[in-house]
Amino acid sequence: MEKFEKPILVTRPFLPPLEEYCEGLKEIWDNQWLTNNGPVLQRYREELKDYFETGNICLFNNGTLALQIALQGMGITGEVITTPFTFVATTHALYWNKIRPVFCDIEPDTFTLDPAKVEELITPWTTAILAVHVFGRPCLMEELADVAKRHNLALIYDAAHAFGVRVDGRPISHYGDLSMFSFHATKLYHSIEGGMLAFKDPGLSKTFQYLKNFGFKGETEVVMPGTNAKMNEMQALMGSLMLKYMDALVEKRKQIYEIYHERLSEVPGISFSPEPESSLEYNYAYLPVQIDEREFGMSRDALYAKLKEYNVFARRYFYPLLNDFACYRSVPVSQPLSVAVKVSEQIITLPIYVDLQEDSVHQICDIIVGIGKN
Ligand code: T4K
């Protein structure tokens, strides 16, 4: 088991050829237009409309602000049922809108909200479900839509990890009332930093435009107390260039996933989520595996620490659960979060990125198998 000479991180951003970005920068220099709905952003928005097969999209400078603005613009208040197994920004977006998060357990295959348990938590104050397609695996969308419909709740998806995912031949954003995508550098698709909302109700478009630009309508009228959440031209340029590489990026990630799967799925104590079904075009955004301490012979935390000795920097996404963070510890939890607790204690996300060489993936697998045996 050989130690890596240089650190292997959980992810590295893909970057298009520098010449392509420089070429695009020339245009931005010529335009002398850097942000505030510039021409590169306008063109990029059209490209994304095609990609997402909808006109109802809005771009932002990051995913967190996009989600905050989504909740504000949709008028969500009171209580929202959400998952504790996600990145902390999901719940922060609720909190910034003075909405009470109600943490609900997840189901064990996709690590997404358990629809039956969501239903148990509905109160007269519930206005929405905020579910997360964690690691890019779709939530149980049909069941969640059914619960939302029967109780007249908005169904909002944090699709930060789900760029490029399609279900039954349609972009994942076509499900639910609204989806938020993150284009952060650590995502398989990025615009350096960036975010996007895709939504059903075209009436929301204007509201989101106002909210991300200080509430301005024209030059002299401010119609609501907005914030500044605009995407700039350099971000839009990166996003636009990245789009044409998407298919190749997903294909490469799939190959990496397959090596890990082949090498590790039979190892006692290591489990993968079920293989994506044929109706799902998956993006291989992350590589989560669960470690059963008893069978593997070592806890997830011990493996995580041991891997570092070999210069492999896996991550424990998502541990701790959000309700265990100091700022959310006082939020009452009225349901045992048993599945979420178990997954959060067992999960480890292994390195996956386009520049990761196949030899390196094999080396990581050799290390893991070797560690498990000792
Ligand atoms: N909802 C969900 C479900 C999310 O996962 C996120 C973000 C959001 C909402 C909010 O969206 P944004 O507002 O971010 O658009 C990272 C990302 O910062 C965060 O965007 C992401 N989720 C989260 C899952 O991961 P950290 O604290 O783990 O990032 P960091 O700096 O430790 O980077 C991770 C690895 O990537 C490191 O090994 C270093 C490497 N890296 C990172 C950057 C930024 C690079 O090699 N190059 C880079 O440029 O949060």
Side-chain angles (χ1 to χ4, degrees):
M1 285 145 50
E2 221 180 305
K3 178 181 171 176
F4 282 93
E5 242 172 67
K6 288 189 182 155
I8 300 287
L9 305 178
V10 71
T11 190
R12 305 311 318 264
F14 170 78
L15 289 161
L18 186 56
E19 311 80 66
E20 284 187 21
Y21 196 72
C22 289
E23 198 53 44
L25 283 178
K26 278 191 203 142
E27 182 190 347
I28 296 175
W29 255 243
D30 287 344
N31 293 336
Q32 285 191 286
W33 197 284
L34 302 183
T35 184
N36 290 11
N37 202 23
V40 178
L41 181 110
Q42 287 182 31
R43 200 170 56 221
Y44 176 41
R45 193 166 47 226
E46 293 311 308
E47 292 164 2
L48 285 172
K49 282 182 186 173
D50 284 347
Y51 190 82
F52 280 90
E53 299 171 23
T54 173
N56 298 332
I57 62 165
C58 190
L59 286 161
F60 296 85
N61 57 353
N62 62 58
T64 306
L65 279 168
L67 189 56
Q68 278 176 218
I69 285 176
L71 295 162
Q72 172 116 163
M74 292 172 82
I76 307 296
T77 56
E79 293 178 0
V80 168
I81 300 170
T82 190
T83 167
F85 186 73
T86 176
F87 190 60
V88 71
T90 313
T91 295
H92 284 345
L94 295 170
Y95 229 78
W96 277 70
N97 279 289
K98 300 191 166 51
I99 297 164
R100 203 164 339 125
V102 175
F103 292 117
C104 176
D105 207 2
I106 56 175
E107 58 86 36
D109 286 344
T110 62
F111 314 140
T112 62
L113 277 181
D114 181 330
K117 292 181 182 165
V118 167
E119 191 150 20
E120 287 170 14
L121 292 170
I122 295 171
T123 73
W125 295 276
T126 312
T127 57
I129 301 167
L130 174 55
V132 180
H133 301 304
V134 73
F135 305 135
R137 288 300 285 260
C139 295
L140 302 182
M141 297 193 292
E142 224 170 278
E143 292 86 338
L144 285 177
D146 176 56
V147 175
K149 193 165 173 214
R150 282 189 288 105
H151 295 272
N152 198 21
L153 305 175
L155 180 53
I156 300 171
Y157 285 116
D158 177 335
H161 304 169
F163 195 96
V165 175
R166 295 172 71 94
V167 179
D168 286 329
R170 294 162 68 200
I172 195 160
S173 58
H174 287 210
Y175 301 83
D177 294 304
L178 175 141
S179 302
M180 178 282 283
F181 295 84
S182 164
F183 300 170
H184 184 263
T186 54
K187 301 290 182 289
L188 84 156
Y189 170 84
H190 71 89
S191 62
I192 308 173
E193 291 250 15
M196 192 191 97
L197 298 178
F199 39 93
K200 276 230 168 76
D201 175 6
L204 286 170
S205 193
K206 278 247 158 6
T207 311
F208 294 151
Q209 300 290 342
Y210 297 145
L211 283 171
K212 75 172 178 183
N213 187 27
F214 312 101
F216 270 111
K217 181 183 184 185
E219 243 179 74
T220 52
E221 204 183 342
V222 173
V223 290
M224 55 184 79
T227 184
N228 180 0
K230 291 168 271 114
M231 178 179 271
N232 68 45
E233 292 287 273
M234 277 77 167
Q235 290 174 291
L237 171 61
M238 180 62 84
S240 171
L241 292 178
M242 289 282 300
L243 260 188
K244 63 176 185 215
Y245 293 99
M246 253 316 273
D247 290 348
L249 297 182
V250 170
E251 188 47 42
K252 183 70 210 294
R253 300 177 84 93
K254 183 168 188 257
Q255 288 165 10
I256 294 175
Y257 166 86
E258 278 166 358
I259 300 176
Y260 275 120
H261 194 266
E262 199 184 306
R263 294 281 320 269
L264 298 179
S265 59
E266 302 294 320
V267 175
I270 298 187
S271 53
F272 286 69
S273 288
E275 291 279 285
E277 10 359 309
S278 59
S279 56
L280 171 64
E281 290 167 55
Y282 185 47
N283 65 1
Y284 302 89
Y286 290 82
L287 211 134
V289 292
Q290 271 174 273
I291 305 297
D292 181 308
E293 179 173 359
R294 211 169 36 84
E295 283 183 47
F296 185 65
M298 178 182 268
S299 71
R300 181 277 312 270
D301 286 341
L303 173 65
Y304 167 77
K306 198 82 189 153
L307 282 172
K308 281 188 183 175
E309 291 176 17
Y310 289 87
N311 242 343
V312 177
F313 292 81
R315 291 293 287 265
R316 289 165 292 181
Y317 293 135
F318 289 99
Y319 166 83
L321 290 178
L322 299 200
N323 53 300
D324 285 331
F325 280 121
C327 59
Y328 294 121
R329 229 171 266 154
S330 58
V331 173
V333 175
S334 60
Q335 189 183 62
L337 302 173
S338 358
V339 180
V341 168
K342 183 174 174 206
V343 173
S344 175
E345 281 170 359
Q346 294 191 336
I347 203 93
I348 186 162
T349 47
L350 300 174
I352 183 166
Y353 50 90
V354 166
D355 295 331
L356 185 62
Q357 300 300 311
E358 294 194 358
D359 285 357
S360 303
V361 183
H362 281 291
Q363 196 177 330
I364 295 169
C365 294
D366 290 342
I367 294 170
I368 294 173
V369 173
I371 290 173
K373 281 191 187 138
N374 292 316

